[in-house]
Amino acid sequence: MKNRNLPLKIAALFLAFSFGNLQAQDFKSIIQSHMSAKNTFAKPELSNFEVTNHDFSKSMNSEVVMFQQHYKGIPVYNSVGTALVRNSQVNYINENFTKDFTSASLPSTAKSNQAIFATVAQAMGLKNAANYELLNFGEADKDHAFAKTRLTYFVDSNNNLRLCHQYEFEEKGTSNYWEVLADAVTGEILSKQNLTLSCTFEHGAFGRDHS
């Protein structure tokens, strides 16, 4: 027997997704207008971002919008922001975006994530590295060894935007869960954190900007 409600359910899901996507785009344009008015970017292309989440807060009577800085369509590591939006106006915003850089790697120069992971594994002494399946961020976890990976820009001590492969994985046989950023060309490890042990907060992350 055919499920006559199935087309309606599919249509409802499509409309819900479309509405959510439309809301994210609306919030993005509102926040972009607010940030453009402040004109704090030495390089205008650094003002690009994507909305990562939004949720209505009853206590603040506002939409809480979280967003991630992007450069050339690639996220910039730890460059994030939060805004309170009410009646299509930004009432509060806090962000730690990179505003300038000396030089930036081109995405076309990146080696494959498999090649760079092999270099990382050797540097870390990771056992059975060839058994790790590389998955994109957002993909479902596997029952076997795996590492989540994506391209990310990392701001180094010389204010250069260095293109990296970002990896997050559990080291099998240990309690270690690593987050590693490795240069996408050389494989040099630029950042390595054991997420099992460390919990760090960006300085000023809870500061207020009432502009």
Side-chain angles (χ1 to χ4, degrees):
M1 185 176 187
K2 292 183 178 180
N3 186 347
R4 295 180 180 179
N5 292 326
L6 184 58
L8 293 175
K9 290 179 180 179
I10 293 174
L13 286 171
F14 176 77
L15 288 172
F17 173 79
S18 299
F19 180 69
N21 192 48
L22 180 62
Q23 277 193 318
Q25 291 301 316
D26 289 344
F27 292 136
K28 181 177 179 179
S29 62
I30 292 168
I31 296 169
Q32 277 180 328
S33 296
H34 178 87
M35 293 175 69
S36 295
K38 295 177 69 175
N39 193 29
T40 59
F41 291 90
K43 290 185 169 58
E45 60 269 33
L46 287 171
S47 64
N48 294 323
F49 64 89
E50 294 296 333
V51 172
T52 56
N53 192 39
H54 59 88
D55 191 28
F56 184 77
S57 169
K58 290 183 178 180
S59 62
M60 292 181 283
N61 192 29
S62 300
E63 197 78 26
V64 180
V65 184
M66 290 174 281
F67 49 99
Q68 164 84 57
Q69 185 179 26
H70 279 61
Y71 176 71
K72 294 187 179 296
I74 297 171
V76 180
Y77 183 69
N78 270 355
S79 292
V80 295
T82 302
L84 296 183
V85 179
R86 184 192 307 161
N87 298 326
S88 299
Q89 296 288 328
V90 174
N91 294 323
Y92 163 90
I93 190 168
N94 182 49
E95 49 83 9
N96 62 348
F97 280 16
T98 297
K99 304 298 194 298
D100 196 8
F101 60 81
T102 304
S103 67
S105 310
L106 295 175
S108 60
T109 63
K111 292 183 179 179
S112 70
N113 54 16
Q114 294 93 340
I116 298 300
F117 187 71
T119 302
V120 167
Q122 184 177 18
M124 293 180 61
L126 189 65
K127 297 178 180 177
N128 302 314
N131 294 335
Y132 284 75
E133 181 181 359
L134 299 185
L135 306 173
N136 293 323
F137 274 51
E139 285 191 70
D141 294 355
K142 301 288 185 177
D143 293 331
H144 52 266
F146 67 90
K148 298 287 182 76
T149 179
R150 68 174 178 178
L151 282 174
T152 303
Y153 274 106
F154 178 82
V155 184
D156 69 11
S157 58
N158 294 315
N159 206 36
N160 296 313
L161 278 178
R162 295 179 65 173
L163 188 63
C164 297
H165 285 294
Q166 179 179 350
Y167 302 99
E168 291 186 4
F169 60 94
E170 179 185 355
E171 183 180 356
K172 289 301 180 182
T174 74
S175 61
N176 299 326
Y177 194 91
W178 296 105
E179 178 195 71
V180 179
L181 275 72
D183 188 286
V185 178
T186 66
E188 176 191 357
I189 294 176
L190 303 179
S191 174
K192 183 177 73 171
Q193 291 190 68
N194 187 342
L195 300 181
T196 304
L197 303 176
S198 63
C199 181
T200 58
F201 295 92
E202 195 74 23
H203 177 68
F206 301 101
R208 301 182 65 84
D209 174 3
H210 294 282
S211 60

